[in-house]
Amino acid sequence: MKPVLVLQHQSSDGPAFLATWLRARGVAFEVRNAEAGEAFPESTEAYAALALLGGEMSANDPLSALRAGERLILDAMQRSRPVIGHCLGGQLMARALGARVVESPAPEIGWLPIDVAD
């Protein structure tokens, strides 16, 4: 089975429980850390899935790694690969899919209900 590609944006914000969960299930994964200077691949062809981690920056910041992450999100979706984003990763998914990412007028703490649409 191909490994899961994990995109890390800051050295202090690693895969933590995701890595524990993947290891417990025997799922191989590869972490690419942008802050450590590790380039993101051009495509997700060599991977079974894509996971994008968080970070202190905004998804709207003009950082090349963020734009590369968005391109990989679209590439993974085009290849029917599962994609998951945590915090910043979720914002990048929203941007890649055409949504605007803006500052929330109120704090968001914990899990919130979501609606699924076709």
Side-chain angles (χ1 to χ4, degrees), residues 25-66:
R25 285 152 182 80
V27 178
F29 63 96
E30 180 182 316
V31 178
R32 297 285 184 99
N33 181 345
E35 188 175 57
E38 298 172 355
F40 293 170
E42 291 298 315
S43 80
T44 59
E45 183 176 2
Y47 302 96
L50 175 64
L52 297 98
L53 302 181
E56 294 178 3
M57 62 283 288
S58 164
N60 296 317
D61 287 350
L63 300 172
S64 61
L66 299 180

Side-chain angles (χ1 to χ4, degrees), residues 35-117:
E35 188 175 57
E38 298 172 355
F40 293 170
E42 291 298 315
S43 80
T44 59
E45 183 176 2
Y47 302 96
L50 175 64
L52 297 98
L53 302 181
E56 294 178 3
M57 62 283 288
S58 164
N60 296 317
D61 287 350
L63 300 172
S64 61
L66 299 180
R67 303 298 76 85
E70 291 173 355
R71 285 190 299 276
L72 286 168
I73 290 164
L74 295 176
D75 180 77
M77 292 178 148
Q78 185 175 34
R79 296 174 191 277
S80 298
R81 306 282 200 268
V83 180
I84 187 170
H86 180 263
C87 199
L88 173 64
Q91 293 176 28
L92 291 172
M93 289 175 67
R95 271 185 53 106
L97 295 169
R100 287 181 352 128
V101 176
V102 298
E103 185 175 345
S104 176
E108 296 178 20
I109 301 171
W111 294 96
L112 300 174
I114 60 170
D115 295 319
V116 178

